[in-house]
Amino acid sequence: MPAVPRVRRVAMLSVHTSPLEQPGTGDAGGLNVYVVEVSKRLARRGIEVEIFTRMTGGSQPLQSEIAPGVNVRNVVAGPFEGLGKGDLPGQLCAFAQGVMRAEAARPEGWYDLVHSHYWLSGQVGWLAADRWRVPLVHTMHTMARVKNSRLAEGDVPEPPGREIGEAQVVEAADRLVANTPGEAGELIALYGADPDRVRVVSPGVDLDLFTVGDVPAARARLGLPQDAHVLLFVGRIQPLKAPDVLLKAAADLLARRPELRHRLVVAVVGGPSGSGLGKPRALQELAHQLGIHTQVRFVPPVDRANLALWYRAADLVAIPSYNESFGLVAIEAQACGTPVIAAAVGGLPYATGDGGVLIDGHGTAEWSAGLEALIDDPGRRDLLGRKAVEHASHFSWEGTTDRLLEVYTESMIAQARSVSGQPAPPIEDAAKLTGVPAAVIP
């Protein structure tokens, strides 16, 4: 049996959003959390991680250490300010040059593999992995063909250039990491991915931080009434995330149940992002138009510890997105014992499990009825909360890292055999060598 290669150093690519940015602002969200949490845990296992991202401010250092063994390199690629995500394809050459220059200063064979996140990073990762003769592991996070099939009203479709770029990355990657079995199926059905190169690795949650806590204390810290019905939205404010669905449902509920008006609180934690940047106050204006501006609290993005407080303080966390590749908010909320009400789309059914309620579609009547049913039934909320904690306990960043390491090792074995002229091992043999099961394909 051949020796199993050891992963020593990983180049992690996140072109369009930095791990240093606050999730909930700009393009920072679950991807940022994923990169940071996995990188820290890889480093704790003795694996050095360098995260390459684009510099977005002149005061940023070229390098910074966010944890022992995790180094962030801010690559100069285009102007620091005023460059939107849609402009970044034109800067991929400059970004790739910065990545190549960093590697050139190292001894040959420094990195064992490249793990790219989102298609822009995949384009650079494709070049880097080919030049360094190492495997490319890629995580899509979101896909244009999926997003365009489920557009929110008034949202802007992803351009054909992104679809082409994604298809190229799918073809080039040695292993494709999907967040859920459903996403694995979409990679195969919509992009023609080779099933033998697709692996399911679910994101995790920090089970030491997101825990069941003292609800009255959390509400006191946040200035929320103890007897309030608190509905919480957490995420970037943009059409894709559909916070307007929650506001419209709340307004409909109050129109039918005016006695709830003095107790209902709708908290929106997050900042404008994506196509929502064009109208940064559209949600506030909607709240006024609906006549619920006194019930809605808009809270800028908060750090992870304060986010846990918000989850604990809420009766329900609403996730009405038009698509989510996973739904990290669902797992974080459930780990805090708070049930979720979510749209039955993308990875949300998988992330929600039996710790919440799924709503088909985004209609106001359906969402209003779903909220009302849970508000009126505290016993059911308590039961869902207990199930939520149990469900979330099966997701951890340690488990995610375990699984990723198996995928990394498997990809290195396959490439080593390819370079030596040996045939790639059948998927069953690779499983025996690394403990990696066959791809989970629905």
Side-chain angles (χ1 to χ4, degrees):
M1 180 179 292
V4 176
R6 178 176 176 269
V7 184
R8 301 162 303 157
R9 301 181 188 91
V10 175
M12 199 83 71
L13 306 186
S14 180
V15 172
H16 79 288
T17 181
S18 170
L20 304 176
E21 293 177 2
Q22 168 67 54
T25 61
D27 289 312
L31 184 157
N32 301 67
V33 176
Y34 186 113
V35 169
V36 170
E37 296 296 337
V38 165
S39 296
K40 287 179 178 178
R41 283 158 179 80
L42 287 171
R44 290 172 193 167
R45 301 178 191 206
I47 300 167
E48 295 180 47
V49 180
E50 285 198 277
I51 305 172
F52 292 85
T53 191
R54 196 180 77 85
M55 182 178 286
T56 56
S59 62
Q60 292 177 338
L62 290 174
Q63 295 186 51
S64 60
E65 186 179 65
I66 61 173
V70 182
N71 189 45
V72 175
R73 286 182 176 268
N74 289 303
V75 178
V76 177
F80 298 148
E81 308 291 342
L83 200 65
K85 187 164 64 173
D87 300 317
L88 291 182
Q91 299 304 319
L92 293 183
C93 182
F95 189 90
Q97 190 265 357
V99 172
M100 294 298 166
R101 177 172 290 181
E103 189 273 343
R106 302 287 200 182
E108 186 176 353
W110 183 258
Y111 299 109
D112 294 305
L113 61 89
V114 176
H115 188 172
S116 55
H117 298 267
Y118 193 66
W119 78 277
L120 293 169
S121 301
Q123 287 280 315
V124 178
W126 176 16
L127 173 63
D130 181 71
R131 180 68 60 87
W132 302 340
R133 297 188 293 278
V134 299
L136 172 62
V137 176
H138 181 73
T139 305
M140 297 290 276
H141 293 282
T142 64
M143 294 180 277
R145 289 173 182 169
V146 174
K147 180 180 177 182
N148 287 347
S149 69
R150 302 166 185 166
L151 276 182
E153 183 179 351
D155 204 358
V156 180
E158 294 298 313
R162 175 179 169 181
E163 292 192 30
I164 294 169
E166 287 178 342
Q168 290 172 328
V169 173
V170 167
E171 177 65 25
D174 295 275
R175 291 295 181 270
L176 293 159
V177 174
N179 288 327
T180 66
E183 186 182 13
E186 290 169 337
L187 278 165
I188 295 164
L190 300 179
Y191 287 86
D194 178 356
D196 283 349
R197 292 190 290 115
V198 178
R199 298 290 179 270
V200 176
V201 182
S202 296
V205 63
D206 186 339
L207 294 172
D208 294 323
L209 175 61
F210 295 100
T211 60
V212 177
D214 187 328
V215 176
R219 291 191 172 191
R221 287 273 303 274
L222 298 171
L224 295 169
Q226 294 295 335
D227 65 343
H229 298 299
V230 181
L231 310 179
L232 176 63
F233 171 90
V234 172
R236 289 169 286 149
I237 299 175
Q238 61 181 72
L240 175 69
K241 302 292 184 179
D244 61 297
V245 170
L246 175 59
L247 266 60
K248 292 173 184 175
D252 181 80
L253 175 59
L254 292 179
R256 294 186 293 104
R257 299 277 300 278
E259 74 276 10
L260 295 175
R261 184 170 288 273
H262 72 287
R263 292 185 61 190
L264 190 70
V265 174
V266 180
V268 178
V269 179
S273 174
S275 55
L277 290 170
K279 297 180 179 179
R281 291 192 57 79
L283 206 60
Q284 287 89 334
E285 293 169 4
L286 177 63
H288 277 273
Q289 293 167 9
L290 295 170
I292 60 170
H293 55 280
T294 57
Q295 282 75 36
V296 182
R297 299 194 182 190
F298 290 96
V299 181
V302 298
D303 61 29
R304 310 298 285 165
N306 279 301
L307 184 56
L309 282 179
W310 276 104
Y311 287 137
R312 294 182 192 125
D315 292 294
L316 297 169
V317 172
I319 312 176
S321 304
Y322 283 89
N323 186 55
E324 292 284 350
S325 64
F326 181 67
L328 195 57
V329 166
I331 295 294
E332 291 176 346
Q334 290 177 104
C336 294
T338 304
V340 167
I341 180 168
V345 298
L348 286 173
Y350 187 87
T352 300
D354 59 359
V357 173
L358 297 173
I359 304 293
D360 288 322
H362 297 82
T364 297
E366 291 82 2
W367 274 84
S368 177
L371 293 172
E372 182 178 29
L374 290 171
I375 286 173
D376 287 345
D377 193 344
R380 187 183 180 200
R381 292 203 310 274
D382 288 343
L383 175 61
L384 287 173
R386 292 193 296 273
K387 289 183 176 180
V389 174
E390 171 62 22
H391 177 66
S393 70
H394 299 289
F395 296 84
S396 71
W397 287 117
E398 290 296 338
T400 301
T401 305
D402 287 341
R403 186 78 175 93
L404 279 177
L405 274 174
E406 292 171 344
V407 176
Y408 290 172
T409 303
E410 180 193 356
S411 66
M412 291 170 65
I413 290 172
Q415 188 188 64
R417 289 193 172 189
S418 175
V419 170
S420 66
Q422 299 180 53
I427 192 167
E428 294 81 5
D429 290 347
K432 291 175 184 176
L433 285 172
T434 66
V436 179
V440 182
I441 303 300

